[in-house]
Amino acid sequence: MAGWGVSTCSPDETRQLGRALGQIIRQPMVVLLSGDLGAGKTCFTQGMARGLGIPEQEPIVSPTYTLMNPYRGRLELFHFDLYRLPEGEDLAELGLEEYLPGPGVAVVEWAERFPGLAREYLAVTILHQEPETRSFTFHASGSVAAKVLENLKENWSRREPDNVRI
Ligand code: ADP
Ligand code: MG
């Protein structure tokens, strides 16, 4: 399993990281997001949505009560939030399995509550550190996610010189 870690220093930078990931994705895949309330899962997904070509005017809000919000971009985005689902709930019965993987990009908040959601995925664990600092740890399972992660690493490191203050 390939891994990578990076930190962001503001919600905006988290959105940029999400956007960088969204821009790379060219085919349906599963992105599993883990981290406590306020970690930045929704914020990261907002960036991903922009990178996937969902128009800026379209607000990306947490699907806490709806379970899933669909969006149409370059690829479809299916944004899940499993926070309110009782642990041990039968996800197949809820029809979730058809998205994992499915016809679009499935992004799942609170994925850690349901281990084994997908066989191939990009897992993102977000840790709340300082008030404005978040650490991101990425793990890829499967060749599609591994390639996406490799590109993300590369694009993000190439972006860094822009931020260097002279
Ligand atoms: P979650 O979906 O994980 O519950 P949200 O994305 O809804 O979290 O909220 C993250 C909160 O943390 C927002 O209020 C945001 O402004 C704040 N925040 C502060 N610093 C960061 C950062 N570096 N990245 C993401 N969010 C941050
Ligand atoms: Mg959220």
Side-chain angles (χ1 to χ4, degrees):
M1 232 210 256
W4 181 53
V6 70
S7 292
T8 67
C9 299
S10 68
D12 209 48
E13 199 181 2
T14 292
R15 281 187 205 100
Q16 284 174 40
L17 182 62
R19 180 189 286 262
L21 172 59
Q23 280 170 344
I24 289 162
I25 297 175
R26 299 273 161 228
Q27 59 181 287
M29 66 179 289
V30 176
V31 178
L32 302 178
L33 303 182
S34 301
D36 288 341
L37 208 61
K41 302 179 294 297
T42 300
C43 185
F44 183 75
T45 308
Q46 288 165 345
M48 277 192 72
R50 303 315 168 210
L52 285 164
I54 292 143
E56 298 280 348
Q57 313 85 272
E58 195 156 349
I60 310 295
V61 293
S62 202
T64 310
Y65 293 93
T66 51
L67 186 61
M68 190 271 280
N69 292 336
Y71 302 92
R72 192 166 281 280
R74 231 180 348 94
L75 287 165
E76 271 185 290
L77 167 64
F78 301 105
H79 181 198
F80 289 89
D81 185 329
L82 307 184
Y83 184 60
R84 297 182 65 82
L85 276 190
E87 257 168 272
E89 182 85 48
D90 187 343
L91 300 184
E93 218 164 82
L94 286 168
L96 243 83
E97 275 185 340
E98 60 186 280
Y99 297 98
L100 305 168
V105 179
V107 177
V108 186
E109 298 195 29
W110 294 100
E112 71 270 40
R113 299 185 67 241
F114 293 89
L117 273 178
R119 211 162 42 82
E120 302 203 335
Y121 53 81
L122 181 64
V124 187
T125 302
I126 312 175
L127 269 178
H128 189 145
Q129 293 180 316
E130 305 292 313
E132 294 265 284
T133 306
R134 303 291 187 271
S135 80
F136 287 76
T137 309
F138 293 82
H139 284 289
S141 167
S143 56
V144 171
K147 186 74 195 149
V148 165
L149 181 53
E150 201 179 295
N151 289 343
L152 177 63
K153 259 192 282 217
E154 200 179 302
N155 290 3
W156 195 252
S157 66
R158 271 202 267 117
R159 154 203 176 272
E160 263 159 17
D162 298 348
N163 295 337
V164 174
R165 282 167 227 249
I166 307 167

